[in-house]
Amino acid sequence: MNSLTQDAALHGSAVGLTADTITFRGGQPLKGRIEVRGAKNLVTKAMVAALLGETPSLLKAVPNISDVRVVSGLLEIHGVRIKRDDASGDLHLDPSNVESAHMAEINAHAGSSRIPILFCGPLLHRLGEAFIPDLGGCRIGDRPIDFHLEVLRNFGAVIEKLPDGIRMSAPDGLSGAKIQLPYPSVGATEQVLLTAVRATGRTELRNAAIEPEIMDLINILQKMGASISVDADRVIRIEGVDRLEGYRHRAIFDRNEAASWASAALVTKGDIFVAGARQAEMLTFLNVFRKVGGAFEIEEDGIRFYHPGGDLKPVVIETDVHPGFMTDWQQPLVVALTQAHGVSIVHETVYEQRFGFVDALVDMGATVQLHRECLGSEHCRFGQRNFLHSAVISGPTKLHGADIEVPDLRGGFSHLIAALAADGVSRVSNVGIIARGYENFIQKLHDLGADFTVES
Ligand code: EPU
């Protein structure tokens, strides 16, 4: 019997924005249908892109997550008028009165997200200056912004570091540049796109990230009037234009959320239909999911993920930039690997500290060892740098209930599903972080038959 009442489900804690701790009684398979809407990692950037248009934009399928609220707040203090319809997910953004924000207002957003760094190019074009507060985001590594700053300098921005953030100006305007990224960074590629589209002349970006969310941002910018081509071998060329219009666009679905629910189905021996999920953007994930022993059926309106019975199998995977196995898919899958028969290896090559969540799994009975060495076919950037970035998981191990604290967004989701698979009662605290990227996750758990109680 589910102890979240319907009433509570329809209020704040249901979307996860006010919940702090959830007590789970594990052992129920998750079964049913949930829907994923627009990708967190596209929607927040698409909102920033609206700053570049002379006319209003309409973004569809925007999820109700706290990262969207943070970016809305930042846009509003810069004069963008925002109207949101929660039911449809339509977000109207009117940038006709973009203005400089007060330092104190900007600083109120310090530490809450990494998106402010992407405001630089658009604000420099619109206002000639930008102030960026100290950045937040998940604590999964150092997360420097050196690539971003170098990119902006290449376009002609003048950067001044202040005690509480960074001030930028563009006294001579911004001009197209030839840029080669040291690593195909998602954020730095977006920085180039959002700056180059209105810079004077041509920009050539080499070693660009080509994640589907970046391709969708390019779709949006093209709708606005930008001229962008994507060539073979991670080369993107942009021809700057004088004026961009607003856009109307339906955001690409959240493939990270879809992969998380897929792992939840596997871990709990369940059966979840993820409406809105599509095959093309999940190809690499689906291959691994099947190798581990999961089954899926691709339908026109979504993907059914389920545990077909039998033993789960161990795998060896390395996370990588697209089209590789995404770093954001790793954490929920590791929970499934604790139930596989044999030894699995996960080599994390994108972030140096993305195994913070495994301590809790070990407390719950999992056997996971972390290593500093690159346990994969590739030597990655972290190999000689003393980071515990390879995991060896031996299974199957019975998981038992424990008191655990959510460390970050994806690690947090993996804690939820570990608690759901464990024998006995688990208290998972700090679950508010999960609402940064998982829309209505508490309501969805309820709809899938999880047995839990929420404390605010
Ligand atoms: N990096 C630098 N310098 C920089 C920028 C990045 O060294 O200036 C390094 C990072 O430290 C990291 C690597 O480059 O080791 C890749 O970082 P990237 O810039 O690609 O990541 P990001 O743009 O900060 C986005 C997503 C992440 C996702 C990564 C990889 C958003 C808001 N975040 O981060 O999503 O894991 O790309 O695909 O789009 C999440 O959703 O939980 C999440 C962390």
Side-chain angles (χ1 to χ4, degrees):
M1 183 45 197
N2 195 311
S3 42
L4 176 70
T5 65
Q6 260 324 97
D7 271 2
L10 295 173
H11 291 96
S13 63
V15 276
L17 299 175
T18 59
D20 178 65
T21 301
I22 307 182
T23 302
F24 288 98
R25 287 160 292 278
Q28 294 286 335
L30 293 186
K31 286 191 174 168
R33 174 193 168 99
I34 49 119
E35 188 188 349
V36 294
R37 295 205 278 185
K40 163 177 96 65
N41 292 349
L42 173 272
V43 162
T44 43
K45 324 320 171 39
M47 291 169 71
V48 179
L51 266 178
L52 290 162
E54 302 294 329
T55 52
S57 291
L58 169 58
L59 185 60
K60 291 169 171 284
V62 176
N64 189 7
I65 52 175
S66 46
D67 269 17
V68 165
R69 290 171 184 224
V70 169
V71 180
S72 295
L74 271 162
L75 286 167
E76 278 168 344
I77 61 173
H78 286 96
V80 178
R81 282 202 302 275
I82 298 185
K83 243 180 42 207
R84 178 189 163 85
D85 177 29
D86 269 341
S88 67
D90 282 2
L91 194 71
H92 297 262
L93 304 116
D94 181 354
S96 26
N97 293 308
V98 172
E99 59 191 14
S100 293
H102 295 293
M103 206 80 128
E105 287 176 313
I106 300 175
N107 265 328
H109 290 83
S112 50
S113 159
R114 295 186 58 76
I115 306 299
I117 189 77
L118 295 177
F119 276 61
C120 297
L123 287 181
L124 286 171
H125 284 305
R126 299 278 317 225
L127 305 168
E129 62 168 9
F131 177 77
I132 308 302
D134 284 337
L135 299 177
C138 286
R139 304 258 168 264
I140 49 183
D142 220 12
R143 305 197 81 180
I145 54 167
D146 51 337
F147 302 168
H148 292 260
L149 299 183
E150 191 52 30
V151 159
L152 288 159
R153 280 194 197 97
N154 272 297
F155 283 106
V158 176
I159 297 172
E160 191 189 347
K161 291 204 172 138
L162 304 179
D164 48 358
I166 296 169
R167 209 187 93 77
M168 282 182 209
S169 56
D172 304 320
L174 298 173
S175 309
K178 277 196 165 206
I179 298 166
Q180 163 111 21
L181 292 178
Y183 181 81
S185 148
V186 167
T189 299
E190 292 159 345
Q191 184 73 264
V192 171
L193 289 168
L194 291 165
T195 308
V197 285
R198 285 277 318 271
T200 314
R202 289 185 184 161
T203 294
E204 179 186 280
L205 173 63
R206 294 190 168 269
N207 206 22
I210 50 164
E211 269 62 8
E213 294 77 17
I214 289 179
M215 293 303 133
D216 208 35
L217 181 62
I218 292 176
N219 292 340
I220 289 173
L221 293 168
Q222 189 180 51
K223 284 179 176 175
M224 296 176 81
S227 173
I228 304 172
S229 63
V230 182
D231 297 350
D233 298 334
R234 299 187 177 278
V235 179
I236 298 181
R237 292 195 168 81
I238 305 130
E239 194 120 4
V241 294
D242 290 341
R243 182 185 163 99
L244 293 170
E245 304 299 330
Y247 63 82
R248 289 170 70 89
H249 188 77
R250 175 170 292 279
I252 187 175
F253 79 102
D254 199 314
R255 66 199 171 108
N256 294 342
E257 186 185 353
S260 297
W261 288 112
S263 290
L266 204 54
V267 168
T268 63
K269 299 198 165 82
D271 188 336
I272 302 178
F273 184 79
V274 182
R278 288 199 313 236
Q279 179 179 19
E281 293 81 2
M282 298 191 72
L283 211 68
T284 308
F285 177 82
L286 293 171
N287 286 335
V288 173
F289 188 76
R290 182 176 275 160
K291 229 180 186 169
V292 175
F296 56 85
E297 282 167 18
I298 314 279
E299 305 290 346
E300 256 175 42
D301 58 341
I303 304 180
R304 174 186 172 209
F305 296 96
Y306 61 103
H307 190 309
D311 291 344
L312 296 187
K313 296 183 270 296
V315 287
V316 176
I317 47 176
E318 283 178 288
T319 64
D320 205 348
V321 294
H322 187 75
F325 189 89
M326 273 211 80
T327 168
D328 301 282
W329 297 337
Q330 172 259 100
Q331 302 81 346
L333 192 79
V334 164
V335 185
L337 295 179
T338 67
Q339 303 310 305
H341 287 246
V343 176
S344 297
I345 296 175
V346 179
H347 180 206
E348 169 60 58
T349 77
V350 179
Y351 288 109
E352 65 273 35
Q353 288 173 37
R354 224 173 179 183
F355 283 120
F357 69 100
V358 302
D359 288 351
L361 301 186
V362 171
D363 286 350
M364 296 174 86
T367 306
V368 184
Q369 282 156 337
L370 298 181
H371 295 273
R372 294 186 165 76
E373 291 74 14
C374 294
L375 298 183
S377 58
E378 298 289 329
H379 280 285
C380 77
R381 296 167 296 149
F382 312 131
Q384 304 304 322
R385 293 177 49 208
N386 227 11
F387 295 115
L388 292 167
H389 72 293
S390 294
V392 177
I393 305 127
S394 312
T397 44
K398 245 191 174 345
L399 299 180
H400 52 76
D403 281 6
I404 52 182
E405 188 181 339
V406 165
D408 60 66
L409 177 65
R410 307 291 168 199
F413 192 90
S414 74
H415 285 183
L416 296 186
I417 62 178
L420 284 163
D423 282 344
V425 174
S426 295
R427 247 181 121 247
V428 187
S429 60
N430 203 24
V431 296
I433 293 182
I434 299 170
R436 277 194 45 216
Y438 291 89
E439 181 178 40
N440 283 345
F441 71 95
I442 295 179
Q443 178 73 57
K444 288 177 183 172
L445 288 170
H446 172 259
D447 294 347
L448 294 170
D451 184 0
F452 61 93
T453 318
V454 178
E455 291 166 38
S456 291

